Amino acid sequence: MLLKFLFKPRQPQLVAGDDIKLRYLGPSDAEAFRAHIHELHFEDFRDRFNGLVSDEWLDRYIARSLNQAIVIGAFADDHLVAVAELHTGGRIAAGQGESAFSVASDWRHKGLGTMLLKVLLRAASENDVATIIVETGAQNHAMKALARRFGARMQFAGDQSIGRINVADGLRLAARRMESAKFLAPAAVAEKTPSVSTPLI
């Protein structure tokens, strides 16, 4: 599964309206990813990582994510404003993936989380991931509400809230919630790039 994403294209993969473009992120996007995380307000940063982390830890996390995970970025012009991640392998059971989301504080409540989760569901389906795990702090009400919207049942585990989204069910719910924005076909890419079917969501 990892090899499919080692050769991610750098050009936009699809367009959401006139304002937001989505594309896969790779190692060359580390600086933009880091800047995006540092632009989060304190509460949003805390919710994203369930606490505070050092710059050294963050750099290691970003490098690992961009090299090993499926990572999709949402751009306003050339500015990265939201990121969705899907991590597989290691301690994660086969057929499952752990998700992570971050939305720039000034872009929250504009539908970016919903948009990215729809795209992540399709990417999961195309990469044999049947269940997306959502793990977030108990105080992150926006993330819990987003997960529930796509069928997750959130349960408390200590100071965490954990839910699982069945990918097939999530895609059916996404189809029912199709927004007015039209998603265009991906741009042509070189061989050895991940295939993204159209319509993506």
Side-chain angles (χ1 to χ4, degrees):
M1 183 185 305
L2 171 60
L3 293 178
K4 291 183 68 175
F5 282 84
L6 288 180
F7 303 96
K8 293 190 284 288
R10 299 279 74 82
Q11 69 267 36
Q13 288 296 287
L14 59 145
V15 177
D18 297 326
D19 301 324
I20 299 295
K21 294 182 179 180
L22 307 182
R23 67 170 172 83
Y24 292 104
L25 303 185
S28 63
D29 296 298
E31 184 176 346
F33 196 172
R34 185 182 305 108
H36 162 67
I37 294 297
H38 280 298
E39 288 174 359
L40 299 177
H41 295 172
F42 175 81
E43 294 82 2
D44 298 332
F45 185 101
R46 179 201 61 200
D47 286 347
R48 170 60 186 82
F49 295 103
N50 196 33
L52 301 181
V53 299
S54 68
D55 286 342
E56 292 77 13
W57 185 95
L58 183 61
D59 286 344
R60 290 194 299 270
Y61 175 85
I62 289 172
R64 185 171 65 252
S65 297
L66 293 177
N67 279 283
Q68 299 179 8
I70 297 171
V71 185
I72 300 168
F75 290 80
D77 295 322
D78 293 325
H79 189 67
L80 183 62
V81 295
V83 174
E85 308 163 43
L86 187 65
H87 299 261
T88 58
R91 63 180 176 80
I92 305 170
Q96 298 187 7
E98 289 188 356
S99 64
F101 296 84
S102 55
V103 178
S105 302
D106 293 339
W107 282 81
R108 290 169 66 87
H109 310 298
K110 298 181 184 295
L112 283 180
T114 299
M115 181 189 303
L116 283 170
L117 183 50
K118 289 179 178 181
V119 175
L120 206 65
L121 283 164
R122 180 54 58 90
S125 176
E126 293 177 349
N127 285 273
D128 302 318
V129 174
T131 302
I132 292 179
I133 301 169
V134 179
E135 184 172 343
T136 188
Q139 76 283 352
N140 192 345
H141 303 296
M143 189 65 242
K144 291 189 291 184
L146 176 60
R148 289 190 185 104
R149 200 173 303 145
F150 289 88
R153 294 184 178 181
M154 305 303 293
Q155 298 179 331
F156 289 106
D159 61 349
Q160 293 284 89
S161 187
I162 301 174
R164 286 172 170 77
I165 300 174
N166 179 286
V167 171
D169 291 343
L171 285 170
R172 281 192 287 270
L173 288 169
R176 294 176 191 169
R177 295 173 175 273
M178 184 65 70
E179 298 171 349
S180 58
K182 300 299 182 183
F183 286 79
L184 304 183
V189 296
E191 192 177 0
K192 291 188 178 180
T193 57
S195 61
V196 182
S197 61
T198 179
L200 192 56
I201 59 175

